[in-house]
Amino acid sequence: IDIESIPSSRAISDGTGATQLMYGVFSENGELVIAKAVKNNVTALTTKDGYSMSISLTKGQSYNVVFWAQNPDCKAYTISDDMQLTIDYEGLNNDELRDAFYGVTETFKVEGSRTISVVLKRPFAQVNVGAFPFDLEHADEHGVDVAKSSATIKGIANKLNMITGEATG
């Protein structure tokens, strides 16, 4: 297991704070087989070799495994035992504690020992408000002195079914 190395959806954070790894195992029908398990101090996610772990599963059965990695001090995300994500959008923007990574394996059938590689990616888009030099120049031209800025975004989903990828709420 490793995380994407290119900060493609967030301009801040190198991902090294995401040291808490959670995972759940589902049958190919989407039924929960192993409820959320948590591994702490997983610093190898951002290394060249990634993080290795083993899960014992029943031979002849097919599964998907859902992974979520975050900073253990982050309070913005709640992951239920069945790996459903709820997001609390209150708080500061550009907070490195909120950097998180997510991935789901392709369905695989257990026929013996095997290795499955998974790359976790940042699940959220980045919204840039006043991030470009010309934004500040435009404000200056109109006599606006920007000391602080904020944005409110409404009507977006706050729940994610991590096995299906469906966003709701």
Side-chain angles (χ1 to χ4, degrees):
I1 306 166
D2 64 4
I3 61 174
E4 65 182 355
S5 58
I6 301 169
S8 60
S9 63
R10 288 180 56 101
I12 63 161
S13 188
D14 58 6
T16 56
T19 60
Q20 183 178 62
L21 178 68
M22 298 173 223
Y23 68 92
V25 180
F26 295 81
S27 71
E28 66 182 323
N29 316 352
E31 296 171 10
L32 184 66
V33 175
I34 298 175
K36 176 181 78 176
V38 179
K39 293 185 176 284
N40 290 303
N41 301 314
V42 182
T43 56
L45 286 171
T46 56
T47 66
K48 181 179 71 107
D49 296 326
Y51 177 73
S52 295
M53 57 179 273
S54 296
I55 303 172
S56 296
L57 300 169
T58 305
K59 188 173 182 177
Q61 300 297 309
S62 295
Y63 301 96
N64 296 94
V65 182
V66 175
F67 294 95
W68 177 265
Q70 70 176 42
N71 187 307
D73 295 326
C74 181
K75 304 298 183 222
Y77 312 119
T78 302
I79 314 298
S80 63
D81 286 343
D82 61 348
M83 296 302 291
Q84 303 303 301
L85 169 67
T86 303
I87 306 157
D88 179 357
Y89 291 110
E90 294 296 320
L92 297 174
N93 291 322
N94 292 336
D95 182 352
E96 289 191 37
L97 288 179
R98 292 176 180 247
D99 201 7
F101 299 85
Y102 159 68
V104 181
T105 64
E106 296 290 327
T107 301
F108 62 92
K109 186 172 185 175
V110 176
E111 295 174 339
S113 292
R114 72 185 282 191
T115 299
I116 298 172
S117 295
V118 181
V119 176
L120 307 184
K121 299 185 180 217
R122 289 178 170 101
F124 306 114
Q126 176 175 318
V127 177
N128 295 315
V129 177
F132 300 102
F134 59 82
D135 292 336
L136 187 54
E137 291 167 10
H138 184 74
D140 286 344
E141 287 172 8
H142 289 85
V144 177
D145 182 20
V146 179
K148 261 191 205 182
S149 69
S150 66
T152 301
I153 301 172
K154 296 182 179 188
I156 56 175
N158 69 340
K159 295 180 189 284
L160 176 67
N161 180 321
M162 289 202 280
I163 191 70
T164 66
E166 181 183 1
T168 59

